[in-house]
Amino acid sequence: MSVIHVLSQEVANRIAAGEVVERPASVLKELVENALDAGARHLEVELEGGGVKLLRVTDDGCGMSADDLRLCILPHATSKISDVDDLFRVASFGFRGEALPSIAAVSDVSITTRPRDGGEALELRVRAGKAEGPMPASGAVGTSVCVRGLFSELPARLRFLKQERTELAQCVEVLTRLLLTESGISARMTHEGRTVLEVRAASDRRQRIAALLGDDIAARLLEVHAGGQGLSLEAWIGPCDLVRRTAEQQHVFLNGRCIRDRSVSFAIKDAWRGLIMPKEHPVALLFIAMDPAQVDVNVHPQKSEVRFRNRDALVGMIRASLRQRLLGEPGPRRLHFPAAVQESMAFAAAPSHDIVRERVSLPPPVALRRTGHRCSSLAYMPDAGASNLPGVSGSGPLRFLQVHRAWIVVESNEGLSIVDQHALHERWLYEELLQRFERAECESQALLVPEQVRRTPAEAALLLEHAELLARFGLVIEAFGTTTLLVRAVPAALRKANPTELLDEALQVLADGEGTAGSSTFVAALAADMACHAAVRFGDRLPDAEVAELLRWWQQNPLLRNCPHGRPVAATISLQELELQFLRKK
Ligand SMILES: Nc1ncnc2c1ncn2[C@@H]1O[C@H](COP(=O)(O)OP(=O)(O)O)[C@@H](O)[C@H]1O
Ligand SMILES: [Mg+2]
């Protein structure tokens, strides 16, 4: 007697359902996608009990004939593809023929439909896995799918669901995402009879974004278009001061399908690298269009994971086009004074012990150093030309003052700027390190006694895999058994740093970007950490000549407004703002 037997259809459907239907929001996604595939222009979504008790999607799409209605709840029954080749040119949301049977396996379903090309309205019911009908019904052209008692037969699944409020929020999010790509569709969603989301057909993308994400965000988004190599990208991105604490305002669509892709997320992160803080997340909506043959969507039942044939081209285009747009945006972050601090401002204006330095002549090349540690010998190249930085006076003498051994106040045409000495120096070193890396000129300092560092086999392997790259930075490592590494040399600029910590930083950077964005990301992240180690600190008193040198560098690189970790290098207060503060102007 055999121990193997073929599972019944009922069990097979439940198994499939486990992958497709996780929660009400996944049911909603499948039903709305079906409606959009059916050419709907308007959607009505009704929910009760967070979508668990009842979830109904009604569309005005093409509807179904009696035969199709009978077939649509069978596993692998679909009107969207027919042969294997079609899998490589999927242009619809659906193609697996899994959603309706899966949903019907874990709830009670009723489908009412009336075909656009003639015929009466019909209803099909599936209760406890048994189909009844089709039977005559009443209804307009289109389809209405009603799902009741989701997971009522599966207490384990029910327990896994969150509070009603959370499930509802997830439903709103799913519908929002689907509506973002389809600007021309109107929709309404109600929960227990109360409208929770309503949009009219929009004439353009910004209007649709405004309706879904808010006018304030939509008004600030920058539009980016890029194309080439069979790809086109339309992106709507927030400027550097429009950030979020999570990545929830990042949406990536591929040929209209909302996808999650690590390499694309990484390209987004990379585009903002150094322009925002590491814990901040930019707002970004990416609409990518490419030949369906260039991407495999048949990776996961939920169809949000895809595989690109040419991932590098896509990632490169995203990173480059977004970054270019971001760097083109004017002005450093402004300092604003809330009314409450106006009073304390008066104290801040009291005379300080330092003297305003006037007419500091340009110094000969000097090395910026960190206390007792010569971190870099960067040649200073004076540029007699006028500055292209609106913030700081042109070629004239610099007037500045170092305050609290941390900040440099500098007079500018516009008013005054307050520079963060560490952030600015860090940025400079970072640019220098990157350039040296490109030219393969990073020096390393051998350790007298190689340091042994023990890590997990996976971590050690990851580091060794990138040993050559690390060596180009001056960090020389080699294997010493499967879990121990030897650090033989460290970057000269970082000879005071702890080799173990340095290795861990490299590991962190590697693990974060594991194989996703290529080595340039790693190089940039590592250079950023190294620059931070080597830069002057708060508390370091700087000779005027070095301050002047720093400021001149800043003048020559006006676009680099943040340290590589994203902190602004300077804040500017305009004369106009000062005049307002002192009530000289209304
Ligand atoms: N709202 C709808 N309007 C018209 N036809 C629909 C609708 N929903 C489902 N169908 C039909 O039922 C079939 C099965 O749907 P589904 O199980 O979601 O699989 P898939 O979308 O992958 O084809 C679809 O291919 C389509 O022909
Ligand atoms: Mg479908």
Side-chain angles (χ1 to χ4, degrees):
M1 200 187 123
S2 65
V3 289
I4 297 179
H5 50 264
V6 175
L7 293 173
S8 74
Q9 195 61 62
E10 196 189 345
V11 179
N13 285 356
R14 281 250 175 121
I15 291 173
E19 291 178 319
V20 181
V21 186
E22 232 177 301
R23 53 179 3 115
S26 32
V27 175
L28 180 66
K29 170 179 173 288
E30 295 297 335
L31 297 185
V32 171
E33 287 186 349
N34 279 347
L36 295 173
D37 281 344
R41 306 304 300 163
H42 180 75
L43 303 172
E44 287 282 335
V45 179
E46 295 151 76
L47 304 175
E48 283 173 27
V52 179
K53 207 165 138 204
L54 179 139
L55 193 159
R56 181 189 286 127
V57 176
T58 306
D59 67 56
D60 58 355
C62 64
M64 282 180 270
S65 67
D67 288 341
D68 285 340
L69 185 56
R70 257 181 231 111
L71 286 169
C72 74
I73 53 156
L74 300 182
H76 316 299
T78 180
S79 56
K80 298 167 194 175
I81 60 169
S82 21
D83 55 32
V84 173
D85 289 345
D86 288 345
L87 275 178
F88 299 99
R89 40 177 182 254
V90 175
S92 49
F93 284 112
F95 61 91
R96 300 174 65 105
E98 273 179 343
L100 291 180
S102 298
I103 294 166
V106 292
S107 62
D108 288 342
V109 173
S110 146
I111 307 173
T112 308
T113 189
R114 188 169 143 200
R116 189 179 283 154
D117 49 11
E120 293 305 306
L122 293 167
E123 184 185 354
L124 183 86
R125 290 190 201 144
V126 190
R127 288 220 176 110
K130 304 242 165 352
E132 299 166 37
M135 52 205 125
S138 64
V141 167
T143 304
S144 181
V145 180
C146 182
V147 176
R148 284 176 209 270
L150 182 67
F151 299 145
S152 58
E153 301 287 311
L154 296 164
R157 276 297 179 110
L158 259 188
R159 265 198 305 276
F160 161 82
L161 294 181
K162 302 262 167 51
Q163 282 184 342
E164 185 177 304
R165 200 176 338 126
T166 313
E167 296 301 335
L168 172 62
Q170 301 238 8
C171 288
V172 173
E173 216 179 293
V174 158
L175 187 62
T176 300
R177 260 189 243 123
L178 284 159
L179 291 170
L180 275 172
T181 66
E182 303 275 345
S183 302
I185 307 283
S186 56
R188 185 170 55 158
M189 177 150 115
T190 59
H191 184 246
E192 316 267 344
R194 209 168 43 86
T195 302
V196 288
L197 194 155
E198 185 164 21
V199 288
R200 283 181 291 169
S203 54
D204 64 33
R205 188 87 79 189
R206 197 184 289 273
Q207 203 183 0
R208 176 47 56 104
I209 295 173
L212 290 167
L213 305 184
D215 293 333
D216 44 342
I217 289 188
R220 301 209 55 207
L221 294 182
L222 313 169
E223 195 176 347
V224 181
H225 291 273
Q229 299 184 46
L231 283 172
S232 86
L233 171 69
E234 171 197 334
W236 296 80
I237 59 172
C240 296
D241 59 345
L242 184 68
V243 289
R244 293 284 177 269
R245 266 179 302 170
T246 66
E248 71 196 5
Q249 292 286 35
Q250 287 173 22
H251 304 281
V252 180
F253 302 94
L254 172 73
N255 294 340
R257 188 190 301 281
C258 181
I259 60 159
R260 290 188 192 288
D261 185 82
R262 269 178 65 115
S263 53
V264 171
S265 302
F266 221 82
I268 294 176
K269 197 171 163 195
D270 227 20
W272 270 266
R273 189 181 293 283
L275 302 174
I276 60 175
M277 300 289 286
K279 61 179 191 309
E280 294 175 333
H281 298 266
V283 176
L285 284 80
L286 268 54
F287 300 91
I288 304 161
M290 66 167 73
D291 178 357
Q294 290 301 311
V295 56
D296 187 358
V297 287
N298 186 25
V299 177
H300 188 270
Q302 290 178 6
K303 297 164 290 184
S304 58
E305 235 177 273
V306 298
R307 294 224 171 89
F308 298 107
R309 289 242 173 113
N310 191 352
R311 188 182 68 186
D312 293 349
L314 175 68
V315 164
M317 176 196 286
I318 293 172
R319 188 173 27 205
S321 59
L322 301 195
R323 192 160 183 89
Q324 191 185 10
R325 185 72 172 88
L326 289 167
L327 290 177
E329 277 304 287
R333 292 187 197 197
R334 280 292 170 77
L335 212 60
H336 292 290
F337 305 118
V341 303
Q342 285 186 10
E343 221 171 299
S344 56
M345 287 278 304
F347 287 101
S352 109
H353 297 296
D354 285 294
I355 316 152
V356 175
R357 314 280 172 185
E358 282 199 49
R359 301 197 165 274
V360 174
S361 54
L362 289 178
V366 290
L368 279 164
R369 70 200 80 211
R370 205 178 130 193
T371 342
H373 160 49
R374 196 181 165 89
C375 62
S376 164
S377 54
L378 308 173
Y380 167 57
M381 287 172 294
D383 176 1
S387 163
N388 48 353
L389 175 72
V392 178
S393 332
S395 57
L398 280 166
R399 291 156 62 91
F400 59 79
L401 171 70
Q402 187 195 26
V403 296
H404 297 287
R405 298 187 175 203
W407 312 97
I408 299 157
V409 180
V410 51
E411 184 188 70
S412 64
N413 291 341
E414 211 188 351
L416 60 94
S417 293
I418 301 164
V419 174
D420 176 325
Q421 66 183 37
H422 172 73
L424 180 57
H425 190 207
E426 186 183 346
R427 183 69 202 220
W428 181 359
L429 293 179
Y430 169 75
E431 296 299 327
E432 188 68 21
L433 276 169
L434 277 187
Q435 277 179 27
R436 285 189 187 198
F437 180 86
E438 291 305 321
R439 298 194 301 255
E441 286 173 3
C442 284
E443 295 150 36
S444 68
Q445 164 105 27
L447 298 177
L448 281 178
V449 184
E451 178 124 338
Q452 288 188 24
V453 185
R454 215 186 140 86
R455 289 293 170 267
T456 68
E459 289 169 342
L462 189 61
L463 284 163
L464 287 169
E465 207 182 299
H466 295 85
E468 212 172 297
L469 186 73
L470 295 171
R472 274 182 69 193
F473 255 120
L475 185 62
V476 182
I477 57 167
E478 66 187 49
F480 193 69
T482 42
T483 57
T484 305
L485 297 162
L486 280 188
V487 183
R488 290 213 169 269
V490 295
L494 284 185
R495 57 179 156 266
K496 295 238 159 135
N498 176 330
T500 309
E501 281 173 18
L502 211 56
L503 207 64
D504 280 341
E505 265 168 36
L507 190 61
Q508 183 75 45
V509 174
L510 275 174
D512 274 359
E514 202 182 345
T516 48
S519 61
S520 70
T521 305
F522 172 76
V523 168
L526 195 61
D529 283 0
M530 290 165 68
C532 187
H533 264 81
V536 292
R537 296 292 154 107
F538 270 30
D540 288 351
R541 179 173 292 287
L542 300 180
D544 284 349
E546 295 189 359
V547 174
E549 197 185 356
L550 254 181
L551 294 175
R552 286 293 177 201
W553 182 83
W554 185 41
Q555 254 181 316
Q556 286 156 17
N557 296 277
L559 285 178
L560 307 177
R561 296 187 301 261
N562 297 73
C563 85
H565 294 104
R567 263 185 227 108
V569 154
T572 296
I573 307 168
S574 70
L575 287 174
Q576 203 187 8
E577 279 169 309
L578 281 173
E579 282 163 355
L580 281 173
Q581 289 299 318
F582 290 93
L583 307 179
R584 292 187 173 276
K585 236 186 208 169
K586 287 209 178 103

